[in-house]
């Protein structure tokens, strides 16, 4: 791979395909989009296969000066690698999910998705702070168009709300970035990650970045755009929004807030814990009373992303590893749940839970997939959901038993609303003849759901495949955070536990497996 600009190629493939989709007829646009996303998936596998675990922190680095003070600089560490793999894995599935559902302006729709793939990979691969910002913000545009043009009845309201919420937070982040570059004299992200900003200034910089990342995740109380966006978005739009776009907030915390502002992160950890605890409990209770399937899954996303922020600000390896695995697992599982909703929505054109019932009788294979993803969502051992949540809670338990207790009640509530949803859809009487007459999964739907099911089980049974590339980067981040370990409120923080020995770490990871 030496000398081959694989990251630039992965950005270029969907971009060129997007242009092609605008120039051809609908059927050709579908195939062009599918082939381009499969090519990128293949390139992603090459990237993963050639990633040197235990090698340099930053690999596949590409640099080219564009103009004074701005560089085209790409490179990845293990954390970025896993999030790029999540992106390229979900994209062909999104194209497949839109194959029959999208009938108007197909070329433009496929072009929007392909443009979004370029920008998502760009966010995770960018090593210039302004290049990151451009990719991060430009990703709003295709998603705004996907919701606003191909969405549901209230799509205009939902698309404006999504755009304005996420854009307003980012203005403060841009101002902070300009100050940081002036102060440090570089736009290079790895250099900025190691730069020691004045702790007094860190407070303001942290808040500016928090304004953007908290909305993107989204954290309570700036989460209200998410249910509207999910309900109005087409199925594939919901998959990519939950699967990848929400993860950009978590990635922002890992790449910017924690390593660049460690003292401020420690200072604001109690605030993050408080907001996350409220999110876990409140959004779970709201999910419990929903009648719309998409809205229920949207609120569950807010609760799951709160587990991510809890793990990130636990300031220990278990919490950080758990947060990353929750992000990867949630990307797969929530995407799959939205696909499951899309399967029956395509048949009956309603998301009302009460319109269904007894689907395990006439759609047994559908009910089986839906059950697997429901169980993964609530963290059943053997599925991807268990590993991440267990590690995140183990991490936060070292800091605060109270925070761990509240978050665990959220997981219990998660089991309540997901199993309640499944019982009403798959079991019980078949009250409606039209629902009882729906056919089971066709070949296309099998091809969409089976790969996600396989990876969910793979991550649950052998999470080391996903943890190994990230472990050295998480250890480096943990070392950076060690000097700013939270101290203070006895009910929120505790003395730093002694570092685990190699044997203990091995045992802990073996237990998780």
């Amino acid at each position: 791979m030496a000398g081959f600009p694989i990251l630039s190629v992965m950005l270029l493939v969907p971009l060129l395909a997007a242009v092609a989709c605008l120039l051809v007829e609908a059927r050709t646009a579908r195939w062009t989009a599918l082939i381009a996303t499969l090519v990128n998936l293949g390139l992603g596998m090459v990237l993963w296969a050639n990633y040197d675990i235990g090698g340099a922190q930053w690999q596949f680095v590409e640099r080219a000066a564009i103009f004074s003070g701005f560089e085209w600089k790409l490179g990845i560490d293990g954390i970025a690698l896993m999030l790029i793999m999540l992106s390229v894995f979900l994209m062909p599935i999104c194209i497949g999910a839109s194959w029959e559902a999208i009938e108007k302006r197909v070329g433009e729709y496929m072009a929007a998705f392909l443009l979004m793939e370029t920008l998502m990979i760009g966010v995770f691969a960018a090593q210039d702070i302004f290049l990151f910002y451009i990719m991060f913000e430009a990703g709003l545009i295709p998603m705004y168009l996907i919701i606003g043009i191909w969405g549901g009845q209230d799509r205009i309201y939902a698309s404006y709300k999504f755009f304005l919420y996420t854009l307003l937070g980012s203005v403060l982040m841009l101002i902070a970035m300009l100050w940081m570059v002036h102060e440090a004299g570089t736009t290079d992200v790895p250099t900025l990650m190691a730069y020691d900003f004045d702790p007094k200034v860190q407070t303001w910089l942290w808040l500016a970045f928090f304004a953007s990342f908290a909305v993107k995740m989204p954290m309570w109380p700036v989460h209200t755009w998410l249910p509207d966006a999910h309900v109005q978005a087409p199925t594939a739009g919901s998959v990519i929004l939950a699967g990848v776009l929400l993860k950009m907030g978590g990635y922002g915390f890992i790449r910017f807030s924690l390593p660049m502002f460690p003292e401020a992160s420690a200072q604001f950890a109690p605030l993050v814990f408080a907001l996350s605890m409220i999110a876990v409990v409140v959004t779970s209770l709201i999910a419990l009373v929903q009648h719309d399937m998409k809205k229920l899954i949207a609120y569950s996303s807010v609760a799951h992303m709160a587990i991510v922020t809890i793990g990130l600000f636990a300031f220990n390896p278990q919490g950080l590893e758990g947060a990353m695995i929750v992000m990867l697992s949630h990307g797969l599982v929530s995407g799959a749940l939205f696909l499951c909703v899309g399967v029956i929505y395509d048949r009956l054109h309603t998301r009302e839970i009460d319109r269904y019932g007894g689907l395990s009788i006439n759609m047994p294979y559908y009910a089986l997939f839906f059950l697997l993803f429901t169980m993964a969502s609530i963290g059943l051992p053997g599925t991807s959901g268990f590993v991440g949540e267990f590690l995140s809670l183990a991490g936060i338990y070292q800091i605060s038993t109270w925070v761990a207790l509240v978050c665990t009640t959220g997981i219990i509530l998660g089991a309540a609303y997901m199993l309640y949803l499944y019982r009403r859809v798959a079991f019980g009487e078949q009250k409606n003849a039209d629902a009882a007459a729906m056919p089971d999964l066709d070949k296309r739907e099998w091809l969409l759901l089976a790969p996600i099911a396989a990876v969910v089980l793979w991550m649950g049974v052998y999470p080391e495949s996903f943890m190994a590339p990230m472990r050295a980067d998480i250890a480096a981040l943990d070392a950076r955070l060690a000097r700013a370990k939270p101290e203070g409120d006895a009910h929120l923080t505790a003395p730093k536990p002694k570092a685990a020995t190699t044997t203990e770490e091995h045992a802990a990871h073996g237990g998780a497996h």
Side-chain angles (χ1 to χ4, degrees), residues 334-386:
S334 66
L337 287 169
F338 281 119
L339 285 173
C340 287
V341 175
V343 165
I344 52 177
Y345 180 79
D346 289 344
R347 288 160 169 73
L348 211 58
H349 298 290
T350 178
R351 291 184 300 269
E352 283 292 315
I353 298 169
D354 292 339
R355 289 284 285 110
Y356 298 96
L359 292 189
S360 56
I361 298 168
N362 56 308
M363 300 178 72
Y365 290 118
Y366 170 80
L368 182 63
F369 276 116
F370 195 12
L371 178 64
L372 170 64
F373 299 130
T374 299
M375 290 301 178
S377 178
I378 62 181
L380 181 77
T383 64
S384 58
F386 170 73

Side-chain angles (χ1 to χ4, degrees), residues 212-450:
S212 181
F213 299 148
V215 172
K216 201 82 169 182
M217 286 207 60
M219 292 179 69
W220 186 92
V222 288
H223 67 286
T224 56
W225 62 269
L226 184 70
D228 292 320
H230 270 313
V231 168
Q232 299 306 321
T235 299
S238 290
V239 172
I240 213 68
L241 180 60
V244 183
L245 295 188
L246 302 190
K247 309 304 172 284
M248 290 180 184
Y251 179 75
F253 281 126
I254 290 169
R255 186 62 80 235
F256 295 90
S257 301
L258 291 169
M260 293 183 192
F261 323 124
E263 282 84 5
S265 296
Q267 177 188 343
F268 286 108
L271 170 69
V272 174
F273 292 158
L275 294 179
S276 300
M277 286 190 290
I278 293 169
V280 167
V281 176
V282 170
T283 55
S284 295
L285 290 171
I286 295 171
L288 203 52
V289 297
Q290 294 305 315
H291 299 291
D292 184 302
M293 278 188 262
K294 263 194 170 185
K295 208 167 246 191
L296 187 150
I297 299 164
Y299 278 111
S300 81
S301 290
V302 181
H304 280 101
M305 296 312 286
I307 299 291
V308 172
T309 46
I310 286 285
L312 291 177
F313 283 82
F315 277 57
N316 53 43
Q318 290 93 336
L320 292 166
E321 282 187 5
M324 275 305 305
I325 295 294
V326 171
M327 278 164 62
L328 296 174
S329 170
H330 178 262
L332 296 167
V333 173
S334 66
L337 287 169
F338 281 119
L339 285 173
C340 287
V341 175
V343 165
I344 52 177
Y345 180 79
D346 289 344
R347 288 160 169 73
L348 211 58
H349 298 290
T350 178
R351 291 184 300 269
E352 283 292 315
I353 298 169
D354 292 339
R355 289 284 285 110
Y356 298 96
L359 292 189
S360 56
I361 298 168
N362 56 308
M363 300 178 72
Y365 290 118
Y366 170 80
L368 182 63
F369 276 116
F370 195 12
L371 178 64
L372 170 64
F373 299 130
T374 299
M375 290 301 178
S377 178
I378 62 181
L380 181 77
T383 64
S384 58
F386 170 73
V387 183
E389 290 185 359
F390 180 84
L391 280 171
S392 288
L393 290 172
I396 196 59
Y397 184 74
Q398 296 178 30
I399 301 297
S400 166
T401 50
W402 284 109
V403 177
L405 179 66
V406 172
C407 290
T408 307
T409 61
I411 289 172
I412 294 166
L413 287 170
Y417 62 70
M418 287 308 298
L419 292 174
Y420 186 39
L421 167 68
Y422 187 79
R423 184 182 72 79
R424 287 181 290 168
V425 172
F427 295 144
E429 289 180 44
Q430 292 194 311
K431 296 169 285 190
N432 300 300
D434 48 2
M438 294 195 305
D440 208 351
L441 301 177
D442 59 28
K443 284 182 184 176
R444 181 181 63 86
E445 290 159 347
W446 266 94
L447 287 171
L448 300 180
L449 294 173

Side-chain angles (χ1 to χ4, degrees), residues 77-109:
D77 61 355
I79 292 167
L81 170 70
M82 287 292 106
L83 290 167
I84 288 173
M85 285 307 303
L86 177 65
S87 306
V88 296
F89 177 73
L90 287 177
M91 280 306 294
I93 292 170
C94 288
I95 301 300
S98 311
W99 205 262
E100 294 172 0
I102 302 299
E103 296 172 345
K104 63 172 185 175
R105 301 171 72 172
V106 175
E108 289 100 321
Y109 178 88

